Amino acid sequence: MSQSTESTTEANPFTKPGFIIAAALVVALIAAAVVIFLLPKGQENAQPTPANSSSAAAATPSASAAADKSVCGLPASKETALGTAPKSKWELVGTMAVPTDPSAAGPGTVGKDGLRSCFAQSPTGALYATANIWAALFNASAKQVYLELSADSPTRDKAVKAINEGKEVGGGSSPKLQIAGFAVHSYTPTAAVVELAFKTDVGGYGALSTSLLWEDGDWKLDMPAAGGGTVRQISDLSSFIPWSGV
């Protein structure tokens, strides 16, 4: 006996509202990440390059970077992990709440254009940097991030060249979301991989993993060759440490 359409729909988890909402968030994150980063010609449909600990380790800068002091004098830390959510004060960057601790984790500098930089050489500093960088990217500051908050790489060189030629390198519709949690997957004084969990204003979760490099006394975005890092759908925050400002 064949099942009714109603019973089949009920049994299919891919048609449930929670899955559909979460899937929509992931699509929005992927779209935003792809718009934010320049894709090599002929790879407009390329999938985001995974940002994992092995790739970060391979891209680790020279050993002298570990000794670089914070460009604005923030204290470094010998900690290598972050197992609990830091107590954070939150401020809005556009529509997204971001953490701020100017005397400890950062940002130690806020430019006239509102761009936030200078984060501590610590797991908390890397976490704060990740949150503030993505807030800037999601809120129409892609050019500033390329020029000031990205680590040296061929991808950054390509972005800077496009900017100098007057080409549009950012833009598009930003997803309406807020940080909901985090996981610091790896950390050394020269490289970190931080994954943020996001939640939309209508429910549903997605996650975005980002690689950072310590360069010139600050955490800089390690720009992947194709895409904005690893984007994935999650059903809840069970694999993250809950952390939010909204």
Side-chain angles (χ1 to χ4, degrees):
M1 180 180 294
S2 62
Q3 291 181 310
S4 67
T5 301
E6 181 178 356
S7 61
T8 301
T9 301
E10 178 66 26
N12 186 354
F14 298 103
T15 63
K16 292 183 178 180
F19 182 91
I20 294 172
I21 292 172
L25 170 59
V26 173
V27 170
L29 279 172
I30 292 174
V34 171
V35 166
I36 286 164
F37 290 102
L38 286 175
L39 295 178
K41 186 176 180 181
Q43 295 187 19
E44 286 81 1
N45 295 321
Q47 291 299 312
T49 300
N52 52 43
S53 56
S54 60
S55 63
T60 300
S62 62
S64 62
D68 286 349
K69 293 183 178 180
S70 164
V71 70
C72 65
L74 293 182
S77 171
K78 294 183 179 180
E79 295 180 353
T80 59
L82 190 57
T84 59
K87 294 181 179 180
S88 306
K89 177 182 177 182
W90 298 79
E91 296 178 349
L92 286 177
V93 171
T95 59
M96 184 183 294
V98 296
T100 179
D101 187 356
S103 63
T109 301
V110 179
K112 293 182 179 179
D113 58 2
L115 190 68
R116 295 162 177 244
S117 63
C118 188
F119 296 89
Q121 192 175 28
S122 67
T124 301
L127 172 63
Y128 276 40
T130 303
N132 279 269
I133 285 172
W134 277 106
L137 287 167
F138 284 147
N139 286 280
S141 297
K143 289 183 179 180
Q144 293 95 315
V145 172
Y146 289 137
L147 295 172
E148 301 179 44
L149 301 182
S150 297
D152 288 338
S153 69
T155 308
R156 179 186 181 277
D157 292 343
K158 189 177 296 183
V160 172
K161 180 180 178 181
I163 291 171
N164 291 336
E165 292 175 350
K167 296 179 181 178
E168 186 64 40
V169 297
S173 299
S174 297
K176 294 181 179 180
L177 46 80
Q178 297 293 340
I179 296 169
F182 74 91
V184 178
H185 292 302
S186 66
Y187 176 85
T188 71
T190 58
V193 176
V194 179
E195 188 172 23
L196 294 178
F198 293 94
K199 184 177 182 179
T200 66
D201 55 351
V202 294
Y205 296 98
L208 181 59
S209 184
T210 306
S211 292
L212 300 174
L213 298 177
W214 183 260
E215 186 177 281
D216 299 328
D218 199 2
W219 288 111
K220 301 294 180 68
L221 179 66
D222 183 18
M223 295 174 64
T230 300
V231 181
R232 65 188 180 103
Q233 178 181 328
I234 56 175
S235 59
D236 54 44
L237 298 176
S238 59
S239 58
F240 292 84
I241 296 173
W243 183 60
S244 66
V246 174

